Amino acid sequence: MVSGNVSRPTNVHLTSYNMNLVLRWNSPKGADSNLVYTTQYKTSVTNYIEGCVNISTLECDFTRLSTSVHPSIIEYGKYTGRVRAQLGSESSDWVESDHITLDKDTIIGSPNISLISAGATIEVSITDPVFAVSALRNVYIFASYNITYWKDSQKEKAKYISNIQQNRVVLHDLDPWTKYCAQVQINTETNPNPSKPSRTVCEITTSEEPSPWVAALVTFVFMAMAVALVVVAVVYRKSIFHFLCPKDALPQHFKEYLLAPPNSTIYLAMRNSHPPEEIYHQVSIIADNTTVEEGGPLEAAKTTCSKQREITAGER
């Protein structure tokens, strides 16, 4: 591709809104309608990386590029971009932008707010703007809100609440049945510029909060009802018991059947049975006339048999 034969883009600059990273430029004077552009970007520690290629628009959002091909944009990175124009096989020289640091130079968008009236107070609910990279509370840990509120048509008498970190704030000491308006901005310690202000939202307060005697009256009514229920339960406890646990009488023939002694043949046979009679046979031992020495084997066998007979007789 031949370089330098096409006029260069002008007013090349990087911008960031809610942590995105966009390179913008103007087309050269007398630009051909077929002119296309190619962009690149780099960090303070990397070389140029290819961004949008052969586009006809006058901007390229680097945070929308596929992260599978391009490295992710880092919220604390320092970036520079460049662009060149192309017409067929010819192109212009690269034109480089200034550099920006995302967390310090990004423009923080407007927070969203809603107002909820509760008697003579108004609750302000704040939602942070959505970031293209990370989230506001992750990038700016010590971010705070500045709340401005005033009576409708009296903004010159506005009141301020500063350095609030909670996203729900209740405005007190308001006049009942009065329309109030509010607006919120975000401040950070890192970014020198506050966010864009939120849109103005208005809400009307209602009556003052109920007097203490109203709450006391409601409490007394509930206690009186509870005592009345306890008294009714004590006075009519028998009726309530019989209603909840009715006493049903069994028919007479059921009672007679349940109280009658069992007449099962198996039961009668088991009740009248006797222990079975033991069956045994008498054993006799006959010794021959052979002389047996005292303490010999035959005498020991005779003694053993005698003891066995005694044991058998004892078991009988």
Side-chain angles (χ1 to χ4, degrees), residues 209-219:
E209 298 206 1
S211 301
W213 67 267
V214 177
L217 179 62
V218 172
T219 304

Side-chain angles (χ1 to χ4, degrees), residues 233-295:
V234 171
V235 173
Y236 297 99
R237 62 183 183 279
K238 291 186 178 180
S239 301
I240 295 173
F241 175 80
H242 290 309
F243 175 77
L244 297 177
C245 304
K247 185 177 180 181
D248 296 330
L250 290 173
Q252 186 62 30
H253 65 280
F254 275 7
K255 292 183 179 180
E256 294 175 357
Y257 175 78
L258 294 175
L259 296 176
N263 56 2
S264 170
T265 56
I266 297 177
Y267 171 78
L268 295 176
M270 292 178 63
R271 189 181 65 177
N272 299 327
S273 64
H274 299 284
E277 184 178 357
E278 293 184 0
I279 301 174
Y280 60 90
H281 300 280
Q282 187 173 357
V283 178
S284 300
I285 297 176
I286 303 174
D288 57 12
N289 297 327
T290 305
T291 303
V292 180
E293 296 181 0
E294 184 179 357

Side-chain angles (χ1 to χ4, degrees), residues 4-22:
N5 294 332
V6 178
S7 298
R8 301 190 305 171
T10 60
N11 194 26
V12 179
H13 58 285
L14 271 176
T15 64
S16 178
Y17 183 83
N18 283 341
M19 297 299 289
N20 67 1
L21 185 63
V22 181

Side-chain angles (χ1 to χ4, degrees), residues 87 89 136 204 212 223 250:
L87 185 61
S89 60
L136 183 137
I204 299 176
M223 291 183 64
L250 290 173

Side-chain angles (χ1 to χ4, degrees), residues 105-287:
D105 298 322
T106 192
I107 297 173
I108 302 174
S110 306
N112 292 321
I113 68 169
S114 61
L115 304 184
I116 301 175
S117 175
T121 64
I122 291 178
E123 181 183 279
V124 182
S125 180
I126 308 169
T127 304
D128 295 331
V130 178
F131 278 6
V133 176
S134 191
L136 183 137
R137 288 288 169 180
N138 295 335
V139 180
Y140 306 108
I141 300 175
F142 300 106
S144 61
Y145 305 110
N146 291 344
I147 302 175
T148 306
Y149 65 99
W150 61 92
K151 290 182 180 180
D152 189 28
S153 302
Q154 298 183 26
K155 192 171 183 178
E156 68 279 359
K157 298 180 180 180
K159 297 181 179 180
Y160 304 91
I161 303 177
S162 302
N163 300 322
I164 300 296
Q165 293 194 333
Q166 296 82 7
N167 60 0
R168 289 181 181 272
V169 180
V170 177
L171 306 179
H172 296 280
D173 301 326
L174 305 180
D175 295 335
W177 304 110
T178 304
K179 186 176 183 180
Y180 283 88
C181 300
Q183 195 174 54
V184 177
Q185 271 188 302
I186 302 172
N187 280 334
T188 68
E189 293 184 354
T190 307
N191 196 317
N193 301 312
S195 73
K196 289 185 174 297
S198 70
R199 64 187 180 92
T200 300
V201 180
C202 300
E203 184 60 73
I204 299 176
T205 58
T206 56
S207 61
E208 296 183 359
E209 298 206 1
S211 301
W213 67 267
V214 177
L217 179 62
V218 172
T219 304
F220 173 77
V221 171
F222 276 108
M223 291 183 64
M225 293 176 63
V227 171
L229 289 175
V230 171
V231 171
V232 169
V234 171
V235 173
Y236 297 99
R237 62 183 183 279
K238 291 186 178 180
S239 301
I240 295 173
F241 175 80
H242 290 309
F243 175 77
L244 297 177
C245 304
K247 185 177 180 181
D248 296 330
L250 290 173
Q252 186 62 30
H253 65 280
F254 275 7
K255 292 183 179 180
E256 294 175 357
Y257 175 78
L258 294 175
L259 296 176
N263 56 2
S264 170
T265 56
I266 297 177
Y267 171 78
L268 295 176
M270 292 178 63
R271 189 181 65 177
N272 299 327
S273 64
H274 299 284
E277 184 178 357
E278 293 184 0
I279 301 174
Y280 60 90
H281 300 280
Q282 187 173 357
V283 178
S284 300
I285 297 176
I286 303 174

